[in-house]
Amino acid sequence: MVAILRWVERNSLPVSAWEDPEMVDQVLRAIETRLDGKQAAAWSHKRNRRILNVAMKYAIRGRILRANPLPKGKESTAATKTTNAVDKRSLLNPEQAAAILDWIRRRPRGGKRLHAFFATLYYCGPRPEEAVAMRVQDVTLPEPDAEDQWCELLIHTATPEVGKQWTDTGEIHEQRDLKGRAEGETRTVPGHPALTRILRQHIEDEQLQPGDLLFQGESGGILAGSVIRRAWRSARKAVLPPHVYESPTGRRVYDNRNTRLTKWLNDGIPPAQVAEWAGNSVAVLLATYARCIDGQSPDSKRRLEAAGDLPEVPGVG
């Protein structure tokens, strides 16, 4: 650790460098640029700016700097604008989703386990790091002979992959609370009867107990991201035409979530309810998915037409 700190000291510029406007501009350009030279996502740029401002405030409080050298107001947001809106081309249609899920189910090695995982992403829209953290006891299944065959998922934990070098335990995954939620906050999501059948069979086939991970790797541990991504990539390549495979359609595992949230909105589920199921705020939900909402124009036109035209003005004509 001492050697690392000495290296950082030798290779760091003095604090006085922040007094050079050109140097400040270089830093700002760097935090809004990815390693491949392309523009970083808007949320990434904002997060980096927040972190940098916190560092500046700390330096001022410690009397290392006299004032915050970062630009303020409109000047601070003059960078190229980007958007977090979902690309409509990335969404899967039902035929594509069904074909991919069926191919995964027929996969010789662990196909049925992975099928249950991807079906959960498609039907309920959890983030992948939330799905891999679920336990059997987090799923409420109706009785097989019940009239209502909808299940319910309890989402309360996320275990994203962050790498061994970034965790205190030396594990690849790190257990966290839900993204953007208060500590200990949970949410419940309804699961389609089709998912009920899949999960009931999955739990029975794997002989899972209430405290077991719902989706496990071959050795019984947490389902690895590399396995998930490889299976999804192979399925897309196997069932999609070459021009569709090369397109953004379902390119990321996360596109299952985007497809589900968009479908809920297009099916007329109120945005507040979709936001609750998704674990987003309504503002973030609409900003992200508004461009993907379609099929409601005819109904909107009927409502507007029903409101009527301007009244006739006597004596005009």
Side-chain angles (χ1 to χ4, degrees):
M1 179 61 71
V2 174
I4 294 174
L5 292 176
R6 286 177 177 170
W7 183 92
V8 171
E9 184 179 7
R10 289 195 306 271
N11 290 274
S12 297
L13 294 172
V15 177
S16 59
W18 285 108
E19 298 177 4
D20 182 356
E22 185 175 340
M23 182 61 66
V24 173
D25 289 343
Q26 288 181 21
V27 173
L28 294 179
R29 283 194 296 271
I31 65 172
E32 65 186 43
T33 307
R34 302 190 319 194
L35 292 177
D36 60 6
K38 296 181 180 179
Q39 184 80 19
W43 65 267
S44 180
H45 179 213
K46 290 178 181 178
R47 181 191 60 194
N48 292 339
R49 282 295 300 264
R50 285 198 298 268
I51 293 171
L52 199 54
N53 268 299
V54 169
M56 294 299 102
K57 290 178 181 179
Y58 179 81
I60 293 170
R61 192 163 58 246
R63 298 185 179 181
I64 301 172
L65 287 175
R66 288 177 295 180
N68 189 337
L70 300 179
K72 300 176 181 61
K74 292 184 178 180
E75 185 182 359
S76 66
T77 57
T80 303
K81 294 186 179 298
T82 59
T83 178
N84 290 329
V86 167
D87 185 347
K88 194 173 182 178
R89 298 173 301 167
S90 69
L91 305 180
L92 295 158
N93 63 42
E95 291 74 22
Q96 291 166 338
I100 291 174
L101 288 176
D102 185 64
W103 188 92
I104 291 173
R105 183 177 61 84
R106 298 171 184 274
R107 191 172 182 257
R109 187 172 177 179
K112 290 185 178 180
R113 286 199 305 270
L114 287 166
H115 174 256
F117 171 78
F118 285 114
T120 299
L121 296 188
Y122 178 77
Y123 282 111
C124 290
R127 298 176 178 90
E129 63 266 26
E130 296 171 341
V132 297
M134 290 181 61
R135 303 277 171 175
V136 176
Q137 62 197 14
D138 298 328
V139 182
T140 302
L141 297 173
E143 293 297 325
D145 57 352
E147 183 177 349
D148 183 354
Q149 283 296 305
W150 284 77
C151 63
E152 187 175 79
L153 307 186
L154 176 66
I155 311 293
H156 58 83
T157 307
T159 53
E161 282 188 337
V162 294
K164 294 181 179 180
Q165 67 272 35
W166 304 112
T167 61
D168 295 333
T169 61
E171 300 292 332
I172 295 176
H173 296 82
E174 182 176 67
Q175 185 167 310
R176 299 177 181 175
D177 289 302
L178 300 182
K179 182 178 180 180
R181 306 287 105 177
E183 183 177 352
E185 190 170 334
T186 67
R187 73 178 190 273
T188 56
V189 187
H192 192 278
L195 181 63
T196 299
R197 294 191 295 270
I198 293 170
L199 292 181
R200 182 183 285 124
Q201 190 65 51
H202 168 69
I203 292 171
E204 181 181 330
D205 290 345
E206 297 295 315
Q207 299 182 347
L208 299 175
Q209 300 302 311
D212 293 341
L213 284 170
L214 182 60
F215 308 114
Q216 302 179 4
E218 290 185 346
S219 60
I222 193 168
L223 188 57
S226 57
V227 173
I228 295 169
R229 292 187 293 272
R230 185 164 57 247
W232 184 254
R233 184 168 56 248
S234 298
R236 285 185 72 248
K237 190 169 186 178
V239 305
L240 298 178
H243 70 282
V244 179
Y245 173 75
E246 296 296 336
S247 76
T249 303
R251 182 176 293 168
R252 304 179 305 155
V253 173
Y254 203 92
D255 289 327
N256 283 284
R257 171 177 166 86
N258 291 337
T259 298
R260 174 51 47 186
L261 269 58
T262 299
K263 189 175 189 320
W264 279 335
L265 291 170
N266 283 328
D267 287 346
I269 306 298
Q273 182 63 79
V274 176
E276 171 63 24
W277 290 342
N280 284 338
S281 67
V282 174
V284 168
L285 179 80
L286 294 179
T288 305
Y289 298 98
R291 294 182 182 178
C292 300
I293 301 175
D294 57 20
Q296 299 180 18
S297 292
D299 182 57
S300 299
K301 289 177 181 178
R302 283 192 297 270
R303 292 185 183 187
L304 292 171
E305 190 171 355
D309 200 349
L310 291 173
E312 294 290 337
V313 180
V316 177

